[in-house]
Amino acid sequence: MSIRTAAARRQEQPALLHRVCRAAVPALLLSAAPLAIGAAQAQSQDGITWLDTIAVIGTRTEVPVQDKPASVSVLDEEQLEKKAPESIAELLRDVPGIQVVDSTAPGTKRLSIRGESSRRVTVLVDGQEITDHTTFGTPILVDPANVERIEVLRGPASVLHGAKAIGGVVNIVTKRGADKPVQAEIGGTYYSGSDGWQGWAAASGTVGNFDYRFSGSLDDHGDRRVPKGQYTSTGRLDRTTFDGDNISAHLGYRFGEADNHYIAFKASQNRLSSEAWTDPDVLTGGVTDFYLDLPRRDLRKAGLYYDGAEISDIVRKVHVDAFYQTVDRLFLNGATVTAPTQIVAFDTTSDDVNVNWGGTVQADLQFHPDHYTVVGLQYLADELKADKTTQTVITGLGPFPIVTFQENSDESSIHSFSAFAQNEWSFADDFKLTTGARYYNTRTDLAYTSDPDRAGYSGTSDGAFVFSAGLIYTGLEDTTLRALYSEGYITPTLTQLFTDTAPSGRLIYGNPALRPETSWNVEVGARYDSGGLVLDGAAFYTEAQDYIATVSCAAVSFTCPTHGDARRAKFTYDNANLARTYGVELAAEYAIPGTAFTPYASGAWMRRELTFDTFSTYHSNIPALSGRLGLRWNGEIAGHSVWSDLYARAATEVTLLEDGVFRRLPGWATLNFAFGGAFGDGDRFRYGVNFGNILNKEYRSSFEEIPGTGRSVEVSLRMIF
């Protein structure tokens, strides 16, 4: 099963390469630090492909994807309007190196990038971080109809985009006001795969220097339809319903003699209720029943923004933002364990409130024509109040059931301050070197706990530097070559540090002695755009250290608390794992001359090895090959714009070795067809139809996602007035 001893595997570490990179990056920073460069401007090109798209992510400067040293993908508004997914995560399913994760709860879809768990992916909305201190990661619950574009960076990016960015970064940019004084929009989608629907409406506009947008949406989904087979005999997956609503507001004002100053206020509320499907594989070891539900996951957020451009010959841009958000979460979990002489049922209720606030200050400076420098400060505060109640019912030991209750309460926080800098240096014709560094200072505190074993904890402080260096070469016609070294850094979640959980009938205690996880990444890539052919490829190697794993209390030096039911196995978290991931990502398309057809492909080959104390394994829940292959057509019928897309999605088998148990999911492929169009003045009416999984194949992408929808159709309509 591809298992080797940890000692043998560690001897093969490319430690020399890591030491060289770590030594070289600070030297490059010091050599370039006194200088700065002017803001990079997007060049007008005739191409219509995605490499022309302007993105901020990856460098915090506005340059085309073509010229980014990191692996960056962007979905712009035109691409988004052709899709009708129920979540942002679904929009990004076909980006190379990305997997969708829902942890068996279909309403809480998250993203895994290059094999890293969704907890290790930074999710930004308008550049501000969304947080969720569960071990599952941050669900992406922004209304898709309110999104202008989505930027994705694959690979560690903690220098510019903050902690959690070991796997990558997703930045969701929401819409502002329309060009005219008043514009109304309304739309909706029907999903046959869940007998579900989604409806939304918005009003937006610009009056003088003032712009605004107000929007709202509702959605409701029933149990998922899947092919009859391994997971269901009825064609329905039980406990896969979810529903929610979104409301949001944007107010902006532009001022200054050259209209070069802009302030904005954004506010949003998202409410979600989701059931969770039970994987039959968890019903082992005497577990005869298991459930997990999220009846409430409410997020409220308010943010302020200021952007100034061309402030002076030296100060090219200034950005300031601040935000405050709360996440109210009710989490239900239970299991029944049946033994020869007794039945033990555990039911746990977790009522959490997570308060997150902070802000960023950034200045773009130009002291020399060949240098462009970004400097900034960021402060983030996460505060978690968790109340948990566990009821245990034991039958079989006597004539009456034995019922016990246990209550735990914790109030904890993480406060993080960081300073970052990046310099872009055009040191020769066709060469640009981008170097960056960030210093983190993090303070964790346990303000209150009902657990006497942790009552004396006084908090800790941690400091760390992370670095990056990227080089691009544009000396070849229509081609950009790039190389990148980058580092990632993530602190443990408050749940991992201080909170006790009870999944699957076992106790997992928080461990305040956990260290941050770190990673480093080396990648090379090339981009080509000419004559209708567009290529974007990268090869990468990433090593992550001090991975936090769930281990038995008997196997760690940390002393587990003494409270809790003695009948349940006791676990805690420990920095026990090492992960190595390497692979190749590719996206390509070719607009056939003289036709309206564009064949395209996107996908990744990836291998991921997890190393534990006594063994290592490649059975890490990652398909070796995954991707999408299709043929698009764009044209006109009866004077109306029409498009179509015939495509297949596919992935090889997935294997997982967990708690000594080997599990396997077979490879799969689905055939799909979508079409749509627009008509009316200014294409004011738009429609789209997507036929998914036409051959009704049973499949499951990974052990972190529920089985895929069977044969289904999605129909969407959108109108602008």
Side-chain angles (χ1 to χ4, degrees):
M1 300 194 307
S2 302
I3 299 174
R4 283 175 284 172
T5 65
R9 196 63 186 89
R10 289 192 177 101
Q11 290 178 357
E12 301 172 12
Q13 290 188 53
L16 178 59
L17 174 62
H18 188 199
R19 289 197 297 270
V20 169
C21 292
R22 289 282 298 192
V25 174
L28 292 170
L29 283 167
L30 291 173
S31 67
L35 305 173
I37 139 176
Q41 302 295 322
Q43 300 299 314
S44 175
Q45 299 184 26
D46 296 330
I48 59 172
T49 57
W50 29 264
L51 292 186
D52 298 330
T53 306
I54 302 299
V56 176
I57 201 168
T59 58
R60 299 188 78 101
T61 56
E62 296 180 346
V63 296
V65 171
Q66 176 87 18
D67 298 327
K68 294 285 184 180
S71 294
V72 172
S73 300
V74 178
L75 275 72
D76 60 23
E77 189 171 4
E78 182 179 353
Q79 294 170 298
L80 295 175
E81 288 180 355
K82 291 183 178 180
K83 303 174 184 287
E86 83 277 7
S87 70
I88 294 295
E90 282 296 328
L91 287 169
L92 302 174
R93 183 180 288 276
D94 297 313
V95 174
I98 282 186
Q99 285 184 291
V100 175
V101 174
D102 56 31
S103 299
T104 74
T108 59
K109 290 185 176 178
R110 304 164 169 89
L111 293 175
S112 167
I113 300 180
R114 290 185 176 175
E116 299 292 352
S117 73
S118 53
R119 188 182 71 80
R120 301 181 180 101
V121 173
T122 296
V123 178
L124 309 174
V125 176
D126 297 311
Q128 296 175 338
E129 184 177 328
I130 300 176
T131 189
D132 191 313
H133 276 278
T134 68
T135 56
F136 301 111
T138 302
I140 307 177
L141 303 176
V142 180
D143 177 12
N146 200 39
V147 175
E148 177 181 299
R149 73 178 186 274
I150 305 174
E151 304 174 345
V152 181
L153 186 153
R154 305 186 300 279
S158 292
V159 169
L160 290 182
H161 298 291
K164 299 185 181 68
I166 279 186
V169 184
V170 177
N171 183 32
I172 302 163
V173 181
T174 60
K175 294 180 180 179
R176 298 182 178 183
D179 294 335
K180 53 187 180 181
V182 180
Q183 176 175 287
E185 303 169 64
I186 188 171
T189 304
Y190 168 72
Y191 306 90
S192 73
S194 62
D195 287 336
W197 57 270
Q198 184 180 62
W200 60 274
S204 60
T206 300
V207 180
N209 288 355
F210 173 76
D211 70 288
Y212 66 93
R213 180 179 175 88
F214 302 96
S215 65
S217 68
L218 293 169
D219 63 285
D220 188 23
H221 296 265
D223 284 334
R224 178 176 294 189
R225 294 179 182 269
V226 300
K228 296 180 182 179
Q230 176 182 354
Y231 301 107
T232 177
S233 60
T234 64
R236 292 278 191 176
L237 280 184
D238 294 335
R239 304 185 62 82
T240 54
T241 66
F242 65 97
D243 61 81
D245 59 73
N246 277 277
I247 57 174
S248 61
H250 162 86
L251 300 173
Y253 183 73
R254 191 169 298 279
F255 61 98
E257 293 184 2
D259 286 339
N260 59 330
H261 299 272
Y262 185 75
I263 57 173
F265 170 78
K266 290 179 178 285
S268 61
Q269 174 183 273
N270 169 272
R271 296 188 296 182
L272 169 72
S273 176
S274 178
E275 292 186 310
W277 171 71
T278 299
D279 185 346
D281 286 348
V282 307
L283 302 179
T284 59
V287 179
T288 56
D289 188 26
F290 175 80
Y291 73 89
L292 183 154
D293 281 327
L294 188 65
R296 184 181 74 238
R297 203 277 184 184
D298 299 343
L299 182 148
R300 297 173 180 87
K301 178 178 181 291
L304 290 171
Y305 306 80
Y306 163 77
D307 286 284
E310 305 299 330
I311 307 300
S312 69
D313 291 340
I314 294 177
V315 182
R316 311 304 296 174
K317 291 183 180 181
V318 172
H319 170 84
V320 180
D321 69 64
F323 71 96
Y324 181 91
Q325 73 177 19
T326 61
V327 177
D328 296 303
R329 184 176 54 237
L330 181 62
F331 185 83
L332 308 178
N333 176 225
T336 300
V337 181
T338 301
T341 60
Q342 63 185 25
I343 299 175
V344 183
F346 308 101
D347 293 280
T348 299
T349 300
S350 178
D351 195 350
D352 304 338
V353 177
N354 184 198
V355 177
N356 179 228
W357 52 275
T360 302
V361 177
Q362 176 182 319
D364 293 16
L365 309 172
Q366 182 176 12
F367 296 107
H368 187 280
D370 294 335
H371 289 264
Y372 190 82
T373 297
V374 172
V375 296
L377 301 172
Q378 185 179 59
Y379 181 80
L380 291 174
D382 286 316
E383 300 171 351
L384 178 65
K385 184 179 184 296
D387 296 312
K388 298 184 183 296
T389 302
T390 300
Q391 175 184 276
T392 305
V393 179
I394 306 172
T395 57
L397 295 182
F400 302 104
I402 300 173
V403 181
T404 61
F405 292 91
Q406 179 182 323
E407 295 182 348
N408 295 313
S409 296
D410 298 293
E411 295 181 21
S412 54
S413 64
I414 295 180
H415 293 259
S416 177
F417 170 81
S418 59
F420 60 89
Q422 176 187 266
N423 184 68
E424 296 177 350
W425 178 22
S426 301
F427 63 92
D429 290 344
D430 305 318
F431 283 94
K432 181 183 290 185
L433 176 66
T434 303
T435 55
R438 181 185 286 243
Y439 174 74
Y440 289 94
N441 182 269
T442 302
R443 172 76 184 181
T444 61
D445 285 294
L446 183 61
Y448 169 79
T449 179
S450 60
D451 175 12
D453 294 317
R454 288 200 294 259
Y457 179 75
S458 59
T460 61
S461 293
D462 177 70
F465 279 99
V466 292
F467 304 97
S468 67
L471 179 67
I472 65 171
Y473 172 69
T474 56
L476 301 176
E477 186 176 2
D478 304 316
T479 302
T480 300
L481 303 179
R482 60 186 182 88
L484 176 70
Y485 171 82
S486 59
E487 296 182 347
Y489 172 89
I490 176 173
T491 58
T493 68
L494 290 170
T495 297
Q496 292 172 327
L497 287 168
F498 303 117
T499 305
D500 300 339
T501 57
S504 304
R506 63 180 183 175
L507 286 170
I508 303 179
Y509 297 109
N511 181 355
L514 290 173
R515 301 185 304 276
E517 301 174 335
T518 60
S519 71
W520 61 275
N521 172 78
V522 176
E523 65 182 79
V524 294
R527 299 185 177 106
Y528 177 84
D529 184 357
S530 181
L533 176 63
V534 181
L535 300 171
D536 187 0
F540 66 91
Y541 176 91
T542 303
E543 184 170 300
Q545 299 174 335
D546 290 326
Y547 254 34
I548 296 173
T550 302
V551 297
S552 170
C553 283
V556 294
S557 58
F558 167 67
T559 302
C560 288
T562 57
H563 68 264
D565 196 305
R567 285 171 290 270
R568 283 193 274 185
K570 295 185 177 182
F571 295 80
T572 188
Y573 301 102
D574 191 33
N575 296 98
N577 290 8
L578 178 71
R580 298 180 181 86
T581 309
Y582 54 90
V584 176
E585 300 164 342
L586 177 66
E589 64 177 44
Y590 178 60
I592 302 175
T595 76
F597 291 98
T598 301
Y600 67 92
S602 63
W605 172 80
M606 188 159 42
R607 296 281 284 161
R608 180 171 174 82
E609 182 188 31
L610 300 178
T611 300
F612 301 87
D613 285 339
T614 58
F615 71 95
S616 64
T617 178
Y618 280 97
H619 301 305
S620 53
N621 201 31
I622 300 297
L625 290 170
S626 61
R628 172 170 171 161
L629 179 67
L631 178 66
R632 291 198 305 266
W633 179 86
N634 289 273
E636 288 190 357
I637 297 178
H640 301 309
S641 300
V642 180
W643 59 270
S644 65
D645 190 358
L646 178 66
Y647 63 97
R649 287 191 177 113
T652 55
E653 71 172 10
V654 166
T655 58
L656 176 65
L657 184 64
E658 186 177 45
D659 294 334
V661 178
F662 175 78
R663 304 169 66 189
R664 176 185 176 274
L665 295 173
W668 58 272
T670 63
L671 179 65
N672 313 271
F673 177 68
F675 69 90
F679 57 93
D681 295 338
D683 290 340
R684 58 189 297 185
F685 300 100
R686 295 177 181 266
Y687 65 93
V689 180
N690 184 81
F691 296 96
N693 196 0
I694 295 171
L695 302 180
N696 204 34
K697 295 293 186 180
E698 182 184 43
Y699 73 99
R700 189 176 176 192
S701 299
S702 77
F703 289 103
E704 292 187 314
E705 188 175 10
I706 67 177
T709 305
R711 184 184 295 115
S712 61
V713 61
E714 299 171 358
V715 181
S716 63
L717 300 171
R718 178 175 181 265
M719 295 171 283
I720 303 176
F721 304 97

